[in-house]
Amino acid sequence: MKKLTTILSLLVLMAFISYLGWRSVEHEVLLRENNETLLVKSRINNIKLSIESLLNQRLSYLSNLASQIDNNNDKADDLLATQADIKNIFIVNKNKILFLSDFDDSQWHKLVESIAMDNSVLFKQQDHSEQFEPSSGWYQMYNHLIYWSIKSDNIIGFELSNIKFSFDVISLLDKQAFEDNFRLSDGDKQIYSNGEIFDNEISIVLDYPLQNWHLTYYYPLPNLVNLYLLGAGVIGLFLIVLLGLICYAYREYSRTLRLAKQQVSFVGQVSHEFKTPLTNITLYSEMLSEYLEDEPTPVPEYLHIIRAESKRLTRLVQNVLTFNKPSRLNIKPVNLTILIRQIYQTFKPILEAKSLQLNIITLEDDCIVNTDEDCVMQILNNFLSNAEKYAFNGKQIDLSLTRNEKLVTITVRDYGDGIANHLLKQIFEPFYRVNSSITEGVSGTGIGLTIAKQLANQIQGEIKVINQNPGMIFSLILME
């Protein structure tokens, strides 16, 4: 069930990553399409501005001509004869037509008459406020494109030649040599064509008075197939790498778990083999105690320590055999002051053989705590054994018992090289050993502190580790 849940979780994770990756690819595609659209709008606007700039040039030129014609009809005739851009001219003053070219064109005649009758038609298509009326501008009606200007109460109008203006626009576009694909048309009539026609297009209408002119820009869609393929390839590569990392992590986990099981099995087998010789040691130590009970001190005392330690070692072996299972507790009042002194007497000769001085600091009065004596001894023995193995260069170890209100603290302080702060939490993990110079050449299974932690939790105690300079402090805190 756990394997199925893990596999489903991995599949969901990979699907989620694939979804996020594909959404990123789609976002990039939309971004490129949007950039392409913005570029097209910018280029079509440049073409539009080029055409309108040509019309604005005509505006400046015609404004100058209007100043020359004012109240001079002969000048108007001369301009019609010499200026190919100008098709017709009219001069209107107070609803009267003072000058009108080409009387034969009835549509032109009616158009000028309507302007003479109501000058406001010239202003309706201009951008102006009610308080201010323009003095010049464009007027477009039917196919007539007229520039008008007010000079000395006269309205002077010039009709531009649409054909000539169209040719000028064509010439301008040819000179600028646009590399774009676009079409320019006046209504249904095509004026200019450049490049190819594609499925995608943007069409705009030129500003007044060329509102009948349409500019259509054609452009191909960017090639996004390669982007999709690249995105799919990157997502696939990422998933392959992720799957490889997962497989590697699973293999390492399986290897570590297999090694841990082997270590547990080995410790269990070795511990089981210890039971028989320990039973014999206990038996013969009891027999020796009976035969040598009348011997002078310290022989009986040493035999008592041998017998007590063999029994305790038997219980410790039994705890190792039931590793990860709660030990059977024997809660009773324990005099920790006496217990600390017993531990001191047990470890002092062992540590002196390693050139380590064991110092004891204990309470003068008795310190009674309801706890399991074997658990406390096993925890402290573990602390002292680690100090013996890993802090021998510190030359001394302090064993102390202190009391603060209801809390009793038993501390083992060494003066060795210590452990890095970021590793302090890991040292209580099963089979974990610090990889440093202090552990080189020192045997160990890595379960001592794990068992100590479990025992402390069972007796409602707490283990604290503090990194000192130099050395370490391991403390067992109990409630009195």
Side-chain angles (χ1 to χ4, degrees):
M1 186 65 182
K2 290 183 177 179
K3 289 185 176 180
L4 180 60
T5 303
T6 303
I7 293 174
L8 290 177
S9 300
L10 292 176
L11 291 176
V12 171
L13 175 62
M14 296 178 69
F16 181 69
I17 293 175
S18 301
Y19 171 76
L20 291 181
W22 193 252
R23 290 290 296 175
S24 299
V25 173
E26 290 182 338
H27 178 268
E28 181 65 23
V29 168
L30 292 175
L31 184 62
R32 293 197 178 187
E33 289 179 344
N34 184 58
N35 290 339
E36 182 69 18
T37 302
L38 292 176
L39 178 62
V40 168
K41 290 181 178 179
S42 175
R43 298 182 72 89
I44 194 174
N45 190 58
N46 290 337
I47 300 172
K48 173 177 174 286
L49 292 177
S50 297
I51 298 173
E52 291 176 346
S53 67
L54 185 63
L55 188 63
N56 291 331
Q57 292 175 11
R58 294 290 190 277
L59 185 147
S60 301
Y61 176 67
L62 294 175
S63 178
N64 184 44
L65 293 182
S67 299
Q68 300 177 21
I69 291 179
D70 190 19
N71 294 323
N72 191 343
N73 296 346
D74 294 337
K75 186 65 176 179
D77 289 330
D78 293 340
L79 290 176
L80 286 172
T82 58
Q83 298 294 328
D85 291 348
I86 301 175
K87 182 178 180 181
N88 284 306
I89 300 177
F90 71 83
I91 302 175
V92 175
N93 183 282
K94 296 180 180 179
N95 301 330
K96 294 182 180 180
I97 300 176
L98 302 182
F99 178 83
L100 179 64
S101 62
D102 195 2
F103 280 94
D104 296 333
D105 188 343
S106 58
Q107 189 182 63
W108 166 249
H109 195 184
K110 290 180 180 180
L111 177 60
V112 175
E113 283 183 342
S114 64
I115 294 173
M117 294 296 296
D118 183 9
N119 302 152
S120 64
V121 297
L122 299 176
F123 307 130
K124 290 180 181 179
Q125 295 175 314
Q126 302 293 315
D127 294 330
H128 65 281
S129 62
E130 295 181 355
Q131 293 79 15
F132 174 78
E133 292 183 350
S135 60
S136 63
W138 294 101
Y139 179 71
Q140 201 275 341
M141 183 60 64
Y142 308 115
N143 61 338
H144 299 281
L145 179 58
I146 299 172
Y147 171 77
W148 58 269
S149 178
I150 300 176
K151 302 292 183 181
S152 303
D153 294 332
N154 292 334
I155 300 177
I156 303 173
F158 300 93
E159 180 187 7
L160 290 184
S161 172
N162 286 329
I163 296 177
K164 180 62 171 60
F165 182 71
S166 298
F167 277 119
D168 290 341
V169 171
I170 294 172
S171 177
L172 174 67
L173 297 177
D174 285 337
K175 287 180 181 180
Q176 294 188 354
F178 288 101
E179 296 181 357
D180 305 271
N181 309 291
F182 64 94
R183 300 289 182 272
L184 179 63
S185 59
D186 182 4
D188 297 332
K189 297 181 296 182
Q190 179 173 291
I191 298 176
Y192 188 82
S193 175
N194 188 69
E196 303 178 27
I197 297 179
F198 296 97
D199 293 335
N200 298 286
E201 63 180 51
I202 293 180
S203 183
I204 61 173
V205 177
L206 273 64
D207 294 338
Y208 183 84
L210 301 179
Q211 73 274 13
N212 292 328
W213 287 35
H214 297 269
L215 183 61
T216 304
Y217 194 101
Y218 302 93
Y219 64 98
L221 280 177
N223 187 6
L224 301 177
V225 176
N226 293 334
L227 183 60
Y228 278 112
L229 293 176
L230 178 62
V234 171
I235 295 173
L237 180 62
F238 179 79
L239 291 177
I240 292 173
V241 173
L242 178 62
L243 188 61
L245 291 175
I246 292 174
C247 292
Y248 174 77
Y250 177 75
R251 186 180 64 181
E252 289 297 311
Y253 169 77
S254 300
R255 185 182 67 83
T256 305
L257 184 62
R258 184 171 62 253
L259 181 61
K261 289 181 178 179
Q262 291 174 354
Q263 289 176 330
V264 171
S265 177
F266 172 75
V267 172
Q269 291 175 3
V270 172
S271 300
H272 183 75
E273 294 298 325
F274 282 170
K275 292 179 67 177
T276 300
L278 283 173
T279 302
N280 292 333
I281 292 173
T282 303
L283 176 62
Y284 283 105
S285 64
E286 290 177 350
M287 292 173 61
L288 281 174
S289 296
E290 293 178 0
Y291 284 109
L292 302 176
E293 61 181 354
D294 296 330
E295 290 292 321
T297 307
V299 174
E301 182 179 343
Y302 288 167
L303 287 174
H304 174 73
I305 292 175
I306 292 173
R307 188 170 64 254
E309 287 300 304
S310 62
K311 290 181 179 180
R312 187 174 63 83
L313 187 56
T314 301
R315 292 193 296 270
L316 295 181
V317 169
Q318 186 61 37
N319 286 340
V320 173
L321 289 173
T322 57
F323 178 58
N324 283 332
K325 296 181 181 179
S327 302
R328 294 180 180 178
L329 299 179
N330 182 20
I331 303 297
K332 63 181 182 179
V334 177
N335 191 331
L336 294 181
T337 304
I338 297 176
L339 182 63
I340 293 299
R341 289 171 181 166
Q342 291 177 355
I343 294 174
Y344 170 77
Q345 292 295 333
T346 302
F347 271 88
K348 183 180 179 182
I350 298 174
L351 295 176
E352 286 179 348
K354 295 287 187 70
S355 300
L356 284 169
Q357 179 183 348
L358 179 61
N359 304 317
I360 184 172
I361 304 171
T362 185
L363 300 173
E364 295 182 359
D365 56 341
D366 292 338
C367 180
I368 309 298
V369 175
N370 285 325
T371 186
D372 186 282
E373 182 177 358
D374 287 340
C375 289
V376 174
M377 290 187 66
Q378 186 172 352
I379 294 171
L380 297 180
N381 287 345
N382 183 278
F383 292 168
L384 289 168
S385 297
N386 286 343
E388 172 198 350
K389 290 189 291 185
Y390 304 120
F392 58 89
N393 59 342
K395 301 304 181 182
Q396 73 176 53
I397 298 172
D398 298 335
L399 175 62
S400 62
L401 173 64
T402 58
R403 177 167 47 196
N404 183 12
E405 295 181 354
K406 292 293 184 178
L407 294 180
V408 177
T409 304
I410 307 173
T411 300
V412 175
R413 162 74 191 274
D414 65 66
Y415 295 85
D417 295 332
I419 303 173
N421 287 325
H422 67 277
L423 298 177
L424 294 182
K425 291 184 178 180
Q426 301 181 46
I427 60 177
F428 293 101
E429 297 178 1
F431 308 107
Y432 177 81
R433 298 189 71 202
V434 177
N435 187 16
S436 67
S437 59
I438 64 174
T439 60
E440 291 182 0
V442 181
S443 61
T445 60
I447 63 172
L449 288 176
T450 305
I451 295 176
K453 186 77 171 179
Q454 293 176 352
L455 294 176
N457 291 335
Q458 291 175 26
I459 61 175
Q460 306 299 316
E462 181 184 3
I463 293 178
K464 284 190 176 181
V465 184
I466 302 174
N467 202 348
Q468 295 293 310
N469 187 17
M472 304 287 300
I473 293 180
F474 285 83
S475 300
L476 172 64
I477 303 174
L478 300 172
M479 182 70 70
E480 190 174 6

